[in-house]
Amino acid sequence: MKSPLLSLPGAVPGEGPDEGVAAHYGDLFREQRALADGTGFVDLSHRGVVTVTGAERLAWLHLLLTQHVSELPAGEATEALILSANGHIEHALYLVDDGGTTWIHVEPGTQDALIGYLESMKFFYRVEVADRTADLAVVHLPAGSIAAAPKGVTVRETPHGRDLFLPRADLEKFAAEHGPAAGSLAYEALRVEAHRPRLGLETDHRTIPHELGWIGGAVHLQKGCYRGQETVARVHNLGKPPRRLVFLHLDGSEVRLPAHGAPVRLAADGPEGRPIGFITTSARHHELGPIALALVKRNVPVDAALLADGTAAAQEVVVEP
């Protein structure tokens, strides 16, 4: 979905998973500082929006998701995953229930596959699943923002800010009243700083929740059965995940950022050494400089100096080995 806010002055279109919204509006660091100060908003209208209605919606979702949602209080935000039978991450859901409807936003372009899976699991449950992407747009207000959500708009509030499920037709009016707008690059830089994983960037076809620190935040360890639970329980109780998420401070003298998928090596092995991981997201931060998230082998020493696509990198532990 192409956002009408791409017509705002200075808007530069995003690329990759953030195609359809602005990467920035002419000043990346100013936009980051505004978000960090609790002002402005981020256009996330390219994200998929799904709603679930019906009296049994929470009990039904509880059977499918990694999160405990059967008694989710109205207005309380949570995150959840859908796993494969082998415990690999297939979907990441960001949801809130208003007492009558469960509102969910997901990564751009993943809503069709998610709805297909949910429809296949309805059986005799009295629930209705709807794709609302065409008429609802997600916008993000940063933590500390005093901006009021428009009347009647569902809000998903977290420690990182508020996600609004805004009528798509109201996007331009919202931008005029709640600016300045910040692009996806500013939002991503703050996400990387906060060590928050993102489906499709920090994940690949074999990622399990333990590797990214999603245990607890998106995976509840005390709930009943769901697809992939055996792997979650086995790794949590008996094993260790093969990889772990790390935060990297990159050498600021390098002009380019390492791309998604770029190899990570031990500095001691040199630029031709065997890869021990890969870059998942890199960003330029207004205070920290160039930073990144990466997945590395679990047994990589936590104090080891690394090379990210040839760029010197110091690591911070996100997931304990």
Side-chain angles (χ1 to χ4, degrees), residues 66-81:
T66 58
Q67 187 58 272
H68 196 300
V69 297
S70 61
E71 300 172 0
L72 184 68
E76 182 175 309
T78 192
E79 299 179 14
L81 307 175

Side-chain angles (χ1 to χ4, degrees), residues 25-284:
Y25 296 89
D27 193 335
L28 170 62
F29 292 151
R30 178 190 59 78
E31 295 165 30
Q32 282 187 39
R33 287 191 289 268
L35 293 179
D37 291 340
T39 59
F41 73 96
V42 184
D43 176 11
L44 300 179
S45 61
H46 59 322
R47 293 185 65 82
V49 177
V50 177
T51 59
V52 183
T53 55
E56 298 177 321
R57 67 191 182 282
L58 291 178
W60 174 67
L61 286 170
H62 185 79
L63 299 175
L64 306 178
L65 306 182
T66 58
Q67 187 58 272
H68 196 300
V69 297
S70 61
E71 300 172 0
L72 184 68
E76 182 175 309
T78 192
E79 299 179 14
L81 307 175
I82 291 177
L83 308 179
S84 72
N86 293 322
H88 301 138
I89 300 169
E90 292 190 345
H91 294 281
L93 292 72
Y94 302 84
L95 57 94
V96 65
D97 192 89
D98 65 5
T101 299
T102 302
W103 302 75
I104 304 166
H105 68 79
V106 296
E107 286 297 323
T110 66
Q111 64 269 20
D112 288 346
L114 172 62
I115 291 171
Y117 172 69
L118 294 178
E119 289 286 352
S120 73
M121 301 299 291
K122 285 173 65 172
F123 302 118
F124 54 83
Y125 284 91
R126 294 173 296 171
V127 296
E128 294 296 329
V129 180
D131 183 354
R132 303 292 304 278
T133 309
D135 60 289
L136 292 174
V138 179
V139 295
H140 175 79
L141 294 173
S145 172
I146 61 173
K151 186 176 180 179
V153 168
T154 299
V155 178
R156 179 180 176 274
E157 186 165 1
T158 75
H160 304 289
R162 288 175 288 161
D163 298 334
L164 279 55
F165 293 86
L166 185 75
R168 191 170 289 274
D170 293 344
L171 260 176
E172 291 177 287
K173 178 183 177 183
F174 181 90
E177 296 176 350
H178 295 81
S184 62
L185 290 181
Y187 182 80
E188 284 291 279
L190 299 182
R191 177 184 70 82
V192 172
E193 178 193 16
H195 307 166
R196 291 186 288 129
R198 181 177 175 185
L199 183 79
L201 292 177
E202 277 63 57
T203 68
D204 58 20
H205 66 283
R206 60 191 180 97
T207 306
I208 60 176
H210 314 68
E211 296 177 323
L212 303 182
W214 253 328
I215 299 298
V219 179
H220 196 289
L221 294 174
Q222 306 300 322
K223 61 162 288 187
C225 291
Y226 53 87
R227 190 174 68 174
Q229 185 196 22
E230 295 83 359
T231 297
V232 170
R234 184 171 62 251
V235 174
H236 181 73
N237 294 317
L238 302 175
K240 296 177 180 178
R243 303 176 297 182
R244 60 183 180 88
L245 188 68
V246 296
F247 176 79
L248 300 179
H249 292 273
L250 304 175
D251 181 358
S253 65
E254 293 288 341
V255 175
R256 64 182 179 87
L257 289 172
H260 172 75
V264 175
R265 298 177 169 89
L266 291 171
D269 294 340
E272 302 302 322
R274 186 172 63 179
I276 48 85
F278 64 93
I279 294 293
T280 59
T281 307
S282 59
R284 297 192 186 278

